Amino acid sequence: MINLLLFPVLIPFLTAMILMFFPKKVHAQRTVVIIGLAGSVAAAVWLLATVMTDGIQAVTLGSWPAPFGITMVSDPLSAGLVLTSNLITLFIAWYSFRSIGEGRERHFYYPAMMFMLTGINGAFTTGDIFNMFVFFEVLLMASYVLIVLGGEKRQLRESIKYILVNVISSAFFVTTVAMLYSVTGTLNMADISAKVSEIGQSGILTVIAVMLILVFGLKGAIFPLYFWLPGSYAAPPVPVLALFGALLTKVGVYSITRTVTLLLPNDPGFTHELLMVLAVLTIIAGCIGALAYFDLKQIIIYNIIIAVGVILFGVAQMNSAGLEGAVFYLIHDMLIKAALFMLIGVIIAVTGTSNLREMGGLMKTHPGLAWTWLIAAFGLAGIPPLSGFFGKLLIVEGAFEADNLWGGVIILASSLVVLLSVIRIFIHAFWGEPQPIAGVSAKVYRSLFIPAALLTAVTVFYGVGTEWLRPVMTDAAEILHEPSIYIDAVLKE
Amino acid sequence: MEIIMSVIIGFLFAGAVYLMLSRSLLRVIIGTGLLSHGAHLLILTMGGFGGDAPPVLTDGVTDFVDPLPQALILTAIVISFGVTAFFLVMAYRAYQELETDNMKLLKGNDEYD
Amino acid sequence: MKNSDVIIQTTTKVVFFMIFLFSIHIFFAGHYTPGGGFVGGLLTASAIVLLLLAFDIQTVRKALPFNYTVIIAIGLLLALGTASASILFDVPFFTHAYDDFRLPLFGLTSLHSAMMFDLGVYLVVVGATMTIILSIGSDD
């Protein structure tokens, strides 16, 4: 099966097309979405197993020889991320049944979701820098539809800014690709990497590196380019927010990781130093935001920014411990952010508000929700044996190995702030005097809570099962650390 | 030729920045259009000009233009066409709903702080 | 918005078919020369827009009763289906097949599976453009 690595990209795409034929039949839409996503998850599991046993999978579209056609590459990192994205989308689709509202379901909510998943999986899988731009546009177009779907005033207002920021960053992406093409004469990332190590890293390549960080930083929300994120992400309803928060910024982070390790490994002095400083500033800015708000959505949104900083700090260490930690933490963060957003969706549905000051005493009425929230919160902060612990441990280890003592200390301190910010939600929402709550029927509550709790269980498994997952992460980090493995796999013929 | 193109691209980028900094939403959208035109011309320039040779690759022909930049530009044009069209629809809907196209009045968050 | 300009309406009735036929010509010309699905689709869409300008939306809806989102879906399916056919033969995705055939009436014709892909692109472009234009235009 030479085309196996394309299945997780093609199945959501096909599902989206089928869904477009009958937008008004809500029940049929739900059934098809779940079948399509289940198929996609199965294909991703198969792909990951194949990558682990047979090594990196690569196919060049249209039977062109390797550096000339568009190459799709699946290494443990991209296969793992593809599997995680599919799994999260499956849970969020299930969660949407009761929370998104029939109005949106009739207006291409599920097709847009599937197109976005197509773009995300494609961006994770592609080995061609221009093709990455195309997949970015696919996922962005779908995200424009998702963010504005429903057409509330606030959504319209925020989506204009969201679109504007992304259109500008796309134009910068094209500019960067043009400059890269003029310097190296190729668009295949493996080929670029090989050519760069031949010609050495000249000044123009450093400029290109900074532009790449700028482009992906705008999508991945690093300091100071995260300004658009809190406002835009808070506008759409919770399932869309969960999808965006879990997946979209991580595509930017993955792209920074891939390009910085693959294209620019030769002169870490400038680019990696820059990336590290930006990562630390991102963490600090995120911490301030996470403590400053009394709005449930905003607190978790600022936690996205902190996580982006932590992952990029691990990448900037450029040693195997730091990179492995970054990979571990990246997948952990996708899962835990989806779980947290789904849980705050449940809290908002139960209390009817997202303002912490107006809620309280949920422990008495919804104890299951409270304990699940506590587990997810501890997982986010990285308390062993939950999922965030091992990744952060490796990142800090990498920082100490690379003599970035202060950076490691800031990462550790940020864990405390993260814990404080989510425990504040616990204290305000679950302890205290019970407030009059809007309430939802037990049936709706169950169908919202069960997917959220199951996803939290997945994160617990991710933490407890670290030992079994370790080989995948080690392989992924090794390929990031040694680009020659990637290059040989792509240009093998 | 490269120098003329660079100047043109520079003008397009400058015009785009000027338009995007204005308050009217429509001018902002036109600005994004100019920005992507500048980026497309940049791809063409960076790919190298081949004079009037055709962009065709056949065995034995030595005088041809690199066809890749043109393919890239076509893709980028299609994408920017789609995005701009969507952006215009969005802007129109927002104008109907919010009754303003002034970016200054589109500020603000109704968050609990 | 009812437009009742006789000159525009009469001219449109003729010009519409000329633009439409030209768009089909451009679409097929894309096989060897400049042209193809994207340009052809835009031309077809512009012909329909001309109809919209000359008459009103209700008349055009009655004359061309298509659901444009379904047209997008059909186009995408055609494009993806053509590309995916390569999966069945276990060759890299997007590998095309082509050969020369001696057809009655046309003589020696080169047939290429990329043609089907381009037809998909054509339908997507027509569908997307018309969806966008109608979603703005149908408010008046």
Side-chain angles (χ1 to χ4, degrees):
Chain A
M1 285 305 280
I2 189 169
N3 290 306
L4 173 64
L5 72 165
L6 290 168
F7 281 13
V9 184
L10 295 178
I11 294 172
F13 196 35
L14 185 69
T15 316
M17 281 174 230
I18 294 170
L19 289 173
M20 281 174 78
F21 283 104
F22 44 88
K24 307 293 174 207
K25 298 194 177 103
V26 173
H27 285 285
Q29 293 256 318
R30 291 175 180 172
T31 321
V32 173
V33 159
I34 291 298
I35 292 172
L37 280 170
S40 190
V41 169
V45 171
W46 185 15
L47 173 63
L48 186 61
T50 314
V51 168
M52 288 314 293
T53 48
D54 300 350
I56 298 177
Q57 302 285 307
V59 61
T60 306
L61 303 187
S63 301
W64 288 84
F68 301 112
I70 294 169
T71 310
M72 305 292 274
V73 191
S74 221
D75 65 347
L77 175 60
S78 49
L81 288 172
V82 163
L83 175 58
T84 318
S85 316
N86 280 314
L87 200 64
I88 288 172
T89 315
L90 178 64
F91 276 104
I92 292 175
W94 179 15
Y95 182 82
S96 304
F97 292 168
R98 296 272 173 208
S99 57
I100 194 78
E102 282 214 4
R104 287 190 172 90
E105 284 179 301
R106 281 171 202 278
H107 285 92
F108 302 103
Y109 170 71
Y110 294 117
M113 200 168 168
M114 289 296 107
F115 276 123
M116 199 171 103
L117 186 63
T118 309
I120 290 167
N121 288 342
F124 284 146
T125 311
T126 186
D128 182 284
I129 189 104
F130 193 78
N131 194 236
M132 186 185 264
F133 164 72
V134 174
F135 277 120
F136 261 102
E137 289 306 311
V138 171
L139 76 91
L140 285 174
M141 279 296 268
S143 75
Y144 301 156
V145 174
L146 282 176
I147 199 171
V148 80
L149 202 66
E152 293 161 19
K153 277 190 179 172
R154 179 170 175 205
Q155 280 182 306
L156 284 164
R157 194 185 65 207
E158 295 303 329
S159 57
I160 285 176
K161 299 169 201 166
Y162 176 75
I163 297 177
L164 185 59
V165 165
N166 280 302
V167 167
I168 292 171
S169 94
S170 296
F172 268 109
F173 200 165
V174 176
T175 312
T176 316
V177 169
M179 288 168 73
L180 201 56
Y181 186 67
S182 80
V183 175
T184 59
T186 176
L187 293 168
N188 186 305
M189 291 205 280
D191 203 26
I192 294 175
S193 178
K195 292 234 162 71
V196 166
S197 53
E198 256 171 51
I199 58 176
Q201 191 157 341
S202 52
I204 184 77
L205 269 171
T206 309
V207 173
I208 292 172
V210 173
M211 285 187 72
L212 278 176
I213 292 176
L214 177 80
V215 169
F216 297 135
L218 262 169
K219 317 220 189 238
I222 61 175
F223 181 88
L225 306 167
Y226 68 87
F227 55 88
W228 56 273
L229 187 129
S232 303
Y233 275 23
V238 173
V240 178
L241 169 63
L243 209 54
F244 282 21
L247 302 180
L248 281 196
T249 50
K250 304 307 180 294
V251 181
V253 173
Y254 164 80
S255 311
I256 291 182
T257 312
R258 182 61 86 202
T259 47
V260 162
T261 53
L262 194 57
L263 310 186
L264 316 146
N266 303 310
D267 178 25
F270 180 74
T271 45
H272 290 75
E273 199 76 28
L274 174 75
L275 196 61
M276 189 168 69
V277 172
L278 286 178
V280 169
L281 288 173
T282 310
I283 295 172
I284 294 170
C287 285
I288 294 170
L291 290 182
Y293 282 92
F294 268 89
D295 183 279
L296 276 177
K297 287 185 184 176
Q298 293 292 341
I299 293 172
I300 308 296
I301 287 171
Y302 274 100
N303 269 303
I304 300 176
I305 296 170
I306 301 176
V308 167
V310 173
I311 297 163
L312 288 180
F313 184 82
V315 172
Q317 302 314 313
M318 259 332 241
N319 50 25
S320 45
L323 284 168
E324 195 185 339
V327 176
F328 241 110
Y329 202 79
L330 179 57
I331 293 180
H332 144 76
D333 194 62
M334 290 166 81
L335 291 168
I336 197 84
K337 283 288 146 54
L340 282 172
F341 278 120
M342 283 155 84
L343 285 170
I344 64 166
V346 182
I347 299 176
I348 291 172
V350 168
T351 58
T353 173
S354 68
N355 187 349
L356 273 183
R357 291 196 184 100
E358 290 171 14
M359 53 179 78
L362 286 179
M363 184 64 120
K364 289 198 181 90
T365 48
H366 300 86
L369 181 61
W371 292 115
T372 315
W373 176 266
L374 198 66
I375 291 170
F378 282 168
L380 180 71
I383 288 175
L386 297 170
S387 56
F389 168 69
F390 196 64
K392 215 170 244 178
L393 176 75
L394 282 173
I395 290 176
V396 173
E397 192 187 316
F400 288 168
E401 269 175 31
D403 282 336
N404 293 316
L405 202 63
W406 52 275
V409 172
I410 288 177
I411 300 267
L412 290 175
S414 81
S415 304
L416 289 178
V417 177
V418 168
L419 186 62
L420 178 60
S421 72
V422 281
I423 288 301
R424 250 175 76 224
I425 297 181
F426 188 76
I427 292 171
H428 279 89
F430 293 103
W431 287 354
E433 284 303 302
Q435 304 280 334
I437 53 175
V440 284
S441 71
K443 198 178 159 204
V444 173
Y445 170 74
R446 263 204 310 279
S447 53
L448 289 181
F449 177 64
I450 290 172
L454 278 181
L455 193 56
T456 315
V458 171
T459 69
V460 172
F461 171 76
Y462 184 82
V464 176
T466 301
E467 199 60 44
W468 298 309
L469 298 166
R470 188 89 197 267
V472 183
M473 308 300 166
T474 318
D475 279 11
E478 195 188 340
I479 290 164
L480 288 177
H481 198 215
E482 287 293 333
S484 56
I485 307 173
Y486 187 92
I487 297 169
D488 290 344
V490 174
L491 304 174
K492 54 182 177 262
E493 277 91 15
Chain B
M1 189 64 181
E2 274 80 3
I3 294 188
I4 300 174
M5 286 298 272
S6 311
V7 173
I8 293 173
I9 295 163
F11 268 116
L12 281 173
F13 272 37
V17 171
Y18 172 72
L19 283 172
M20 282 192 295
L21 291 177
S22 63
R23 276 181 205 157
S24 160
L25 187 52
L26 202 57
R27 299 179 100 194
V28 173
I29 297 176
I30 296 172
T32 62
L34 280 188
L35 189 68
S36 52
H37 287 326
H40 300 158
L41 284 183
L42 189 72
I43 299 185
L44 194 65
T45 316
M46 287 296 176
F49 296 110
D52 50 5
V56 183
L57 190 55
T58 326
D59 287 339
V61 176
T62 50
D63 190 26
F64 58 85
V65 174
D66 181 2
L68 198 57
Q70 311 189 10
L72 301 187
I73 292 171
L74 182 62
T75 317
I77 286 175
V78 172
I79 289 171
S80 78
F81 160 77
V83 173
T84 310
F86 186 83
F87 202 176
L88 279 169
V89 175
M90 271 282 318
Y92 179 67
R93 286 260 175 267
Y95 172 71
Q96 279 182 324
E97 195 75 18
L98 305 165
E99 288 164 354
T100 177
D101 75 331
N102 188 339
M103 290 302 272
K104 249 197 148 170
L105 300 176
L106 292 176
K107 274 202 289 195
N109 274 329
D110 31 42
E111 307 302 333
Y112 316 103
D113 48 358
Chain C
M1 186 181 68
K2 185 86 180 167
N3 193 335
S4 55
D5 190 324
V6 179
I7 296 176
I8 286 188
Q9 292 191 345
T10 319
T11 326
T12 303
K13 281 174 197 163
V14 182
V15 171
F16 169 77
F17 289 102
M18 289 162 77
I19 301 179
F20 184 62
L21 285 177
F22 184 60
S23 78
I24 291 176
H25 166 73
I26 285 275
F27 170 66
F28 282 111
H31 199 54
Y32 283 127
T33 48
F38 182 70
V39 190
L42 276 184
L43 263 174
T44 308
S46 73
I48 303 176
V49 170
L50 185 65
L51 276 186
L52 282 171
L53 284 177
F55 304 94
D56 57 334
I57 285 184
Q58 280 72 34
T59 320
V60 176
R61 279 236 172 93
K62 219 180 285 169
L64 304 167
F66 303 126
N67 183 347
Y68 290 105
T69 34
V70 172
I71 290 189
I72 298 179
I74 294 173
L76 284 174
L77 265 182
L78 257 181
L80 185 78
T82 314
S84 305
S86 52
I87 293 177
L88 296 179
F89 301 101
D90 204 26
V91 287
F93 193 67
F94 256 119
T95 305
H96 286 294
Y98 56 93
D99 205 353
D100 292 324
F101 293 95
R102 205 167 279 286
L103 298 177
L105 218 63
F106 290 103
L108 189 67
T109 318
S110 152
L111 293 181
H112 200 297
S113 62
M115 178 78 204
M116 295 307 289
F117 180 80
D118 231 22
L119 184 63
V121 174
Y122 175 91
L123 291 175
V124 171
V125 171
V126 173
T129 317
M130 291 317 295
T131 313
I132 289 164
I133 286 169
L134 285 179
S135 72
I136 297 185
S138 56
D139 283 356
D140 299 309

